[in-house]
């Protein structure tokens, strides 16, 4: 039996922003953490520091980067960024409440919620997000065998990325709940996959102690 350390991928969603609080669609708008989000970031940092990763990466968007740096400070680790980890782009819908989107684009919103492609509004496809996010995760995990890689990113990108990493159809599978703010999921490479493109989900939506 091998005693080698397992390779692990930990995915963390950023802390709360005012857009999260107000129910606005964020996408790639660079919204900072609010005070609740900073409290959440400190809580997840304390939780992660109990079993720290070997390296930390983040989306370059401020809400993810600040969360990652808070974790990095608790673990004594620097933070690197990767553009492939940014949130799904929602084009014309970014910054809007769902009611405003429904009023102006009712059919497109219905298509979006049924996981059908929406063209002409600058909305990034589910498949495109899943592929770029999963490819980034696999690259960083592949470069760090036997280590724990922690990535701080965004709700939609993480959900779609995990779906892709599990080998599920991103436009059809709906069984994976999105991560809440500063919650995390843990994956490891699937040893049965000879191509090294699949992972298995060990834990999902783990909450730190926010008290």
């Amino acid at each position: 039996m091998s005693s080698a350390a397992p390779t692990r991928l930990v995915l963390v969603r950023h802390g709360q922003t005012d857009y999260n609080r107000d129910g606005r669609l964020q996408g790639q708008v660079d919204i900072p953490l609010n005070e609740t989000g900073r409290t959440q970031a400190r809580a997840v940092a304390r939780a992660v520091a109990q079993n720290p990763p070997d390296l930390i990466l983040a989306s370059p968007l401020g809400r993810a980067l600040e969360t990652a740096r808070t974790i990095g400070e608790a673990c004594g680790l620097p933070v690197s960024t990767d553009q492939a980890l940014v949130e799904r782009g929602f084009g014309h819908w970014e910054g809007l409440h769902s009611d405003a989107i429904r009023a102006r684009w009712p059919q497109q919103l219905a298509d979006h919620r049924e996981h059908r492609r929406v063209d002409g509004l600058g909305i990034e496809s589910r498949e495109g997000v899943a592929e770029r996010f999963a490819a980034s995760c696999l690259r960083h995990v592949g470069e760090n065998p036997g280590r724990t890689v922690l990535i701080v990113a965004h709700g939609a990108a993480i959900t779609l990325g995990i779906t892709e990493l599990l080998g599920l159809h991103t436009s059809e599978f709906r069984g994976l709940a999105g991560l809440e703010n500063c919650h995390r999921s843990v994956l490891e490479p699937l040893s049965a996959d000879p191509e090294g493109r699949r992972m298995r989900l060990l834990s999902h939506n783990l909450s730190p102690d926010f008290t």
Side-chain angles (χ1 to χ4, degrees):
M1 184 175 180
S2 173
S3 59
T7 304
R8 290 279 165 85
L9 172 65
V10 180
L11 299 175
V12 180
R13 186 184 176 198
H14 62 79
Q16 187 192 84
T17 69
D18 285 351
Y19 272 28
N20 291 147
R21 183 197 61 203
D22 298 340
R24 293 180 180 271
L25 189 56
Q26 266 175 154
Q28 295 177 1
V29 179
D30 203 354
I31 304 299
L33 298 180
N34 59 23
E35 285 307 310
T36 296
R38 294 187 180 98
T39 298
Q40 292 171 336
R42 290 190 292 270
V44 75
R46 289 192 298 270
V48 169
Q50 294 176 21
N51 187 20
D54 296 287
L55 68 157
I56 301 174
L57 298 112
S59 156
L61 293 176
R63 57 193 185 270
L65 187 53
E66 183 177 353
T67 303
R69 285 174 171 164
T70 301
I71 296 171
E73 289 172 4
C75 297
L77 292 170
V79 175
S80 300
T81 60
D82 184 340
Q83 184 66 28
L85 301 172
V86 297
E87 178 60 302
R88 183 184 185 185
F90 288 97
H92 297 326
W93 292 356
E94 293 185 355
L96 300 179
H97 291 100
S98 60
D99 287 347
I101 297 170
R102 185 182 301 107
R104 186 170 177 183
W105 298 281
Q107 185 56 56
Q108 291 91 334
L109 181 60
D111 289 340
H112 172 72
R113 288 181 169 173
E114 289 300 317
H115 294 183
R116 293 189 290 266
R117 187 180 182 92
V118 176
D119 294 318
L121 295 176
I123 299 172
E124 193 175 4
S125 72
R126 296 174 62 83
E127 293 83 1
V129 180
E131 289 169 4
R132 67 165 166 81
F133 191 91
S136 174
C137 291
L138 290 172
R139 178 169 63 84
H140 293 300
V141 166
E143 291 172 353
N144 292 279
R147 306 179 81 195
T148 295
V149 177
L150 185 143
I151 288 174
V152 182
H154 310 270
I158 290 174
T159 300
L160 291 167
I162 291 176
T163 303
E164 176 74 14
L165 290 168
L166 297 180
L168 300 169
H169 198 297
T170 54
S171 290
E172 296 177 359
F173 181 71
R174 305 185 184 194
L176 191 67
L179 286 183
E180 298 179 43
N181 291 116
C182 278
H183 285 48
R184 61 200 190 280
S185 293
V186 182
L187 300 94
E188 68 178 14
L190 186 63
S191 58
D193 175 27
E195 296 182 356
R197 297 187 56 80
R198 297 289 174 252
M199 304 190 78
R200 67 172 182 163
L201 187 61
L202 301 179
S203 303
H204 184 59
N205 235 339
L206 295 173
S207 172
D209 182 358
F210 288 136
T211 59

